[in-house]
Amino acid sequence: MRGENNNFITTCLKGTSQVFFMENAITGALFFLAIFYASFVTGVWATSIGAVVGVIAATAVANMLAFDEPARLSGLFGFNGILIGIALPTFVAPSPELWLYIIIGAALTTVVTAAFAATLTKSWGVPGSTGPFVLIAWLMLAGAYSFGSLRILSETQKLATDYQLGAASLPGPVEGVEIFFRNIGQVYLLGSWISGAIILLGIFIASRPAGIAAVGGSLLAMVTAFVMRADPALVSQGLYGFSPVLTAMALSVVFVQPSPVVVVYAALGVIVTVFFQGAFDLILAPIGLPSYTAAYVLTMYLFIAPRKFAPPHPHKPVTDHALKPAGHAPADPPPLPPVTNRSR
């Protein structure tokens, strides 16, 4: 199956679908449709152009460097690149220099993806996922503040709202449906709920269990955000739901063998991701950086690592000074014998 129709365009479309862990060119085409629709609605086409440039640059560099062929053909070197291509025009005004910035950033995600695979994945069995995107996007956006040719599109910081203070009611059913779909669309930084619906359709075409996980992650994230009285302006935009959607898919059907216990484990991960999202937003706001999918990446790393289970270091009483090995630790090596005069 992997040998069929594996031309460059197909590989790029698979890379687009890999943002949601899918390897399906039709799904990738639907994701591009969702991206283009959001640009049509807003009139901002830089993100759509950036998406095309990003996935092409990242995939081309993987081919040029002859990285692992099955991984390349699966699109695993393209999805971080397309996210860079969308993220940078979202926060940086279009300019000729921006397109160069996107090409370099997308190309860099390919190198970092390979680096993550050679270290994090090889040593601990933890997938890099969108970690390279978050790392490079943070560094590139922070660097943009230093360059006069790149203009940051800043947003005003939001204060506590009536809903956070307990004075506003929950959103109505229609708005709730829109939030549900925006949670999915915002993985691609898309604020259109229709784009989110198109993306969810693409997920279901590729995998029904993955689609169900995305639905569950979006719903649980909404409930958690409402119960915790998160900023309704952010909740309404889907900004508390996109990382939990990825967490739900990663922990329940993608990286862990599904089971009833795993479903509970994934639900815990979704709730933790909502909490981490609030933390990252607060921590990063003063330095002018968005959180991107950092909440998902951190949760996924923490929850996936225990698959390769190792018992914690035993907490045994210390009977001697702290710097001497405990009784269960390896003993110091014996001293070497004295060196005698020998002919060379």
Side-chain angles (χ1 to χ4, degrees):
M1 181 176 180
R2 194 169 270 161
E4 299 176 3
N5 300 322
N6 275 320
N7 56 43
F8 187 77
I9 295 176
T10 301
T11 301
C12 287
L13 290 175
K14 287 183 179 180
T16 304
S17 72
Q18 286 283 5
V19 172
F20 281 92
F21 316 104
M22 303 293 104
E23 183 188 340
N24 188 298
I26 296 175
T27 296
L30 282 173
F31 288 1
F32 263 119
L33 176 62
I35 295 167
F36 293 153
Y37 176 81
S39 290
F40 173 76
V41 171
T42 61
V44 179
W45 288 98
T47 50
S48 291
I49 297 171
V52 175
V53 171
V55 72
I56 289 176
T59 305
V61 169
N63 289 346
M64 180 185 71
L65 297 177
F67 283 157
D68 181 72
E69 184 177 19
R72 281 190 285 121
L73 297 180
S74 297
L76 291 176
F77 287 102
F79 68 93
N80 282 297
I82 191 174
L83 289 175
I84 286 288
I86 297 174
L88 290 181
T90 299
F91 299 101
V92 181
S95 68
E97 294 83 1
L98 172 64
W99 304 116
L100 174 64
Y101 212 52
I102 289 173
I103 292 172
I104 299 301
L108 184 55
T109 64
T110 297
V111 176
V112 175
T113 296
F116 273 41
T119 54
L120 188 68
T121 306
K122 183 178 180 179
S123 299
W124 294 289
V126 176
S129 194
T130 58
F133 155 64
V134 173
L135 175 62
I136 300 307
W138 275 345
L139 294 175
M140 299 290 284
L141 186 56
Y145 283 94
S146 302
F147 304 128
S149 61
L150 299 174
R151 181 170 62 86
I152 303 295
L153 302 172
S154 59
E155 294 184 355
T156 57
Q157 195 167 354
K158 298 178 177 64
L159 302 177
T161 62
D162 287 342
Y163 184 71
Q164 285 177 292
L165 300 175
S169 59
L170 295 173
V174 174
E175 186 182 359
V177 171
E178 293 178 351
I179 294 172
F180 167 80
F181 286 117
R182 286 194 193 109
N183 287 345
I184 298 169
Q186 283 288 2
V187 174
Y188 269 115
L189 291 88
L190 307 178
S192 167
W193 69 269
I194 293 178
S195 293
I198 295 172
I199 290 173
L200 183 60
L201 173 62
I203 296 172
F204 269 106
I205 288 176
S207 169
R208 186 179 300 175
I212 294 172
V215 169
S218 181
L219 289 173
L220 183 55
M222 286 175 58
V223 171
T224 304
F226 291 148
V227 169
M228 300 305 296
R229 294 194 178 278
D231 184 344
L234 300 181
V235 175
S236 179
Q237 295 174 59
L239 297 179
Y240 269 96
F242 67 96
S243 275
V245 166
L246 291 178
T247 298
M249 296 175 68
L251 296 185
S252 63
V253 297
V254 177
F255 299 123
V256 183
Q257 186 67 33
S259 72
V261 172
V262 165
V263 171
V264 176
Y265 191 64
L268 174 62
V270 167
I271 295 172
V272 168
T273 306
V274 174
F275 294 168
F276 284 178
Q277 184 69 52
F280 274 116
D281 288 346
L282 181 65
I283 293 169
L284 295 173
I287 58 175
L289 293 179
S291 61
Y292 297 122
T293 57
Y296 150 69
V297 171
L298 178 57
T299 305
M300 187 271 293
Y301 287 179
L302 295 176
F303 277 64
I304 290 295
R307 291 185 311 172
K308 195 172 182 179
F309 181 76
H313 193 284
H315 291 177
K316 293 187 176 181
V318 177
T319 56
D320 218 324
H321 67 81
L323 297 182
K324 288 190 68 174
H328 56 276
D332 289 332
L336 295 175
V339 177
T340 58
N341 292 327
R342 291 177 294 186
S343 59
R344 299 192 178 193

